[in-house]
Structures are given as C-alpha cells and as structure tokens.
Amino acid sequence: MQKLTDLLDRPIVLVGLMGAGKSTIGRRLARRLGLPFVDSDVEIEEASGATTADLFERFGEHDFRDGERRLVARLVNGEVRVIATGGGAFMDPRTRMLLNERAITVWLDAPIDILAERTTRRDNRPLLRKGDRAEILARLSDERRDGYAEAQIHIRSGSGAHGDVVEAIVAAIGKYLGE
C-alpha cells in the first residue's frame, strides 16, 4: 500500500449521485491509504454556518454551485488527500475540467434502487424533497451520466461491502498510475 501512496501526487476525488457512498467510501479509502479525508459538503457547511439544504433554499442551486466550485478548486490545490464532492459538483464543466487536470477522479456508480434507499436515511438532500426519490434519482442519473463518465475511473458499487468497493478503487488507482 505504501508504494501506491508514494505514487500519489494529487488528490483522489470521488464523484457520483447522492447516496453513491462518496463520504462513507471516501473515509474508508482515506484510512486505507493513510491520507486525510475531506467532504466538500461539510466544508461548505462549516464555512457558511448553514446546512447545504438551507443554502440551496436561500441562494438557489446556481449560486450554491458557484460557491461549491470555488471551494473544490481550493481543496484540490492542497495536500494529497481523498475528497468527497457533492453530487452535482462534477456537473459544472469548469469544475470537471479542473478536477480531471489536478486530481484522480473516481465515479462511484450505484443502482437507483440502492441510491433511493440510502438517501432515505437523512433528509438533507434538497433536490429530493419535491417528489418521488427514485424518479428524481433516475432523472438525475440520466442527466448526469455523460458528465460522470468523464471521470478517470469508473467504479460500480451496490449493496456489497464497503471494503470491497475500497479495494476496487485501490486496484483501479494502481492500474491508472501504472503500478
């Protein structure tokens, strides 16, 4: 593992729909690699003193995404670490280009039924508050799939063990870096 960690010269950024496991898998991946972990949604909330849902409601999605883009740009210019982004962060073309240039991007892709189940655990997802979760997630998946597909690594996850997903990411990063 140390050899892989020594090869890393930029952050690892997890992208994907809400509920894909970016935060949970990100924490475990960081621990596995001996790297720090940062969740961009938590960073936004700490910097603003408000929840993501409140920021969405107060300022709208456009302004939220603008602030998110600036924060993510700062995060990838820091140390080598694992970063979990919000579900829509990678949809901004400037953010996507920046992340693909300055980080290793990993798309966590999970089936809609699993995403719908996982997102019921907390009511902090503003885009899911107005309608059927599975329908909204299916629509978002269709709208965002091409953007997420620009990530350098694509990992399919599901209802299996988080450790298996972490190991799949570690193997894919090793292959990506030519290890």
Side-chain angles (χ1 to χ4, degrees):
M1 190 55 45
Q2 188 60 48
K3 183 178 177 189
L4 177 61
T5 304
D6 289 345
L7 287 174
L8 290 171
D9 61 351
R10 57 199 157 190
I12 299 165
V13 178
L14 304 180
V15 303
L17 282 172
M18 58 193 99
K22 298 178 301 288
S23 297
T24 302
I25 298 298
R27 276 187 210 88
R28 290 175 182 232
L29 178 63
R31 204 172 18 235
R32 177 80 166 91
L33 296 172
L35 296 173
F37 171 75
V38 178
D39 185 314
S40 68
D41 283 345
V42 171
E43 292 292 311
I44 288 169
E45 290 179 352
E46 287 179 2
S48 68
T51 66
T52 301
D54 288 341
L55 293 170
F56 250 75
E57 189 174 309
R58 241 187 286 167
F59 301 107
E61 185 173 4
H62 180 268
D63 286 348
F64 176 83
R65 296 291 178 211
D66 189 50
E68 181 179 52
R69 179 180 42 77
R70 290 191 310 269
L71 174 85
V72 168
R74 284 195 306 273
L75 292 176
V76 296
N77 283 330
E79 63 190 308
V80 174
R81 55 183 153 192
V82 176
I83 302 168
T85 61
F90 204 63
M91 294 305 96
D92 180 289
R94 294 171 294 179
T95 301
R96 191 167 50 247
M97 185 173 75
L98 174 80
L99 291 177
N100 278 332
E101 287 174 357
R102 297 190 186 162
I104 298 171
T105 53
V106 179
W107 172 23
L108 291 182
D109 185 13
I112 299 301
D113 61 324
I114 290 172
L115 297 174
E117 188 277 321
R118 287 179 182 166
T119 57
T120 61
R121 298 175 190 165
R122 291 182 302 175
D123 185 33
N124 64 338
R125 309 195 191 257
L127 294 177
L128 297 181
R129 288 185 172 169
K130 296 179 181 165
D132 178 85
R133 284 178 187 276
E135 288 176 14
I136 294 168
L137 287 162
R139 179 181 48 78
L140 289 172
S141 177
D142 288 344
E143 291 171 358
R144 296 177 176 182
R145 183 162 295 282
D146 290 344
Y148 290 143
E150 291 183 33
Q152 296 146 341
I153 295 171
H154 182 188
I155 300 292
R156 295 188 193 279
S157 66
S159 58
H162 294 311
D164 293 342
V165 177
V166 168
E167 292 309 314
I169 295 169
V170 168
I173 290 171
K175 184 176 178 183
Y176 179 79
L177 294 175
E179 182 187 67

